[in-house]
Amino acid sequence: MQLTISTPSQRGRPVSRPSRLDTEMFRALEHTQRRMFPGAITLPSMSSGATDMAQLRSKGVEAYGFGPVVDEHDGHGAHSDDERVAETSIPKLLEFLWYAVLEVAATQ
């Protein structure tokens, strides 16, 4: 058996542009947010952590992240020093994803 090990030509994550904010998917995410959380504002953000979105964006895929529903009283998140996600946020997260995907799929 022969094994070849090669190193990537580039270190770190691939460089890519941010995802566009004028796409059908971003509009669906905004619409779903207004539907489920009236008065909330959709704001683009940049994470200092690593996600698979860097690899997707480098291939031209528009990629958007979202996470569990938390409120101002929950001082801990998915990647804090007391890492946890409230069970009660999971159904809301799934509902959010359902409505956003359904809105995009229904327009096709």
Side-chain angles (χ1 to χ4, degrees):
M1 176 170 155
Q2 184 177 0
L3 178 66
T4 303
I5 298 174
S6 62
T7 59
S9 59
Q10 168 184 330
R11 293 187 58 128
R13 291 182 288 168
V15 176
S16 62
R17 63 170 179 71
S19 293
R20 293 175 29 204
L21 305 180
D22 62 349
T23 64
E24 186 178 5
M25 188 70 229
F26 190 80
R27 284 189 296 274
L29 293 169
E30 283 185 304
H31 183 253
T32 301
Q33 178 178 300
R34 284 192 304 270
R35 174 185 185 162
M36 292 181 63
F37 307 102
I41 299 169
T42 304
L43 295 173
S45 65
M46 182 173 74
S47 172
S48 61
T51 72
D52 295 337
M53 287 188 274
Q55 286 77 12
L56 293 169
R57 287 185 182 119
S58 72
K59 301 295 183 192
V61 175
E62 304 296 335
Y64 306 97
F66 57 95
V69 177
V70 295
D71 65 25
E72 66 274 10
H73 304 294
D74 184 14
H76 306 286
H79 298 297
S80 68
D81 57 351
D82 185 14
E83 187 167 338
R84 62 190 164 94
V85 174
E87 282 183 52
T88 56
S89 75
I90 295 171
K92 277 288 186 199
L93 177 62
L94 292 173
E95 181 182 4
F96 186 92
L97 181 59
W98 172 260
Y99 285 131
V101 170
L102 189 61
E103 183 169 326
V104 172
T107 62
Q108 299 302 319

